[in-house]
Amino acid sequence: QVRLVESGGGSVQAGGSLKLSCSVSGLRFNSCGMEWFRQAPGKERESVSFIENQGVITYGDSVKGRFTASVDRAKNSLYLQMNDLKIEDTAVYYCAAGLPKGRVCENYWGQGTQVTVSS
């Protein structure tokens, strides 16, 4: 059974930092890669960072230079270091992972962790 559990969210003032963690069970890092995405009330889902199996990491334009994603394959965990947080970063943050099913990926995600940034 695939399970992803995010933690580390909270409330912080603008300019502050938080580090999110995601513990993954039931699958190992694979060709589908892993992702951090977020969703704010009334807004569409936004990809924050995508981590390819080969280790290449890409970021959404709104977080480049401020957020850093990483993977600990030994612990089967993802992390998201968020610095210089802005009010517009307020959202529920999710980690996602996929299982290869033929030519597509069957995606899974956790329950999310709330990040609230205030002025």
Side-chain angles (χ1 to χ4, degrees), residues 5-17:
V5 179
E6 302 94 339
S7 62
S11 297
V12 64
Q13 288 191 319
S17 298

Side-chain angles (χ1 to χ4, degrees), residues 92-115:
V92 179
Y93 285 70
Y94 301 85
C95 61
L99 275 176
K101 297 288 185 182
R103 299 176 67 179
V104 299
C105 294
E106 185 174 271
N107 294 318
Y108 299 85
W109 51 90
Q111 82 290 345
T113 186
Q114 176 71 47
V115 171

Side-chain angles (χ1 to χ4, degrees), residues 45-109:
R45 166 179 161 168
E46 178 186 10
S47 181
V48 174
S49 178
F50 186 80
I51 305 166
E52 296 180 15
N53 191 32
Q54 298 85 351
V56 176
I57 303 175
T58 56
Y59 298 92
D61 288 342
S62 62
V63 307
K64 281 180 183 176
R66 300 187 297 120
F67 289 12
T68 303
S70 60
V71 175
D72 186 330
R73 293 179 187 242
K75 295 182 177 180
N76 218 31
S77 296
L78 282 74
Y79 305 95
L80 186 68
Q81 177 67 47
M82 307 185 294
N83 297 328
D84 190 23
L85 282 160
K86 304 178 185 301
I87 293 174
E88 51 265 38
D89 293 320
T90 297
V92 179
Y93 285 70
Y94 301 85
C95 61
L99 275 176
K101 297 288 185 182
R103 299 176 67 179
V104 299
C105 294
E106 185 174 271
N107 294 318
Y108 299 85
W109 51 90

Side-chain angles (χ1 to χ4, degrees), residues 10-27:
S11 297
V12 64
Q13 288 191 319
S17 298
L18 283 173
K19 185 174 183 178
L20 306 183
S21 299
C22 174
S23 176
V24 182
S25 59
L27 67 80

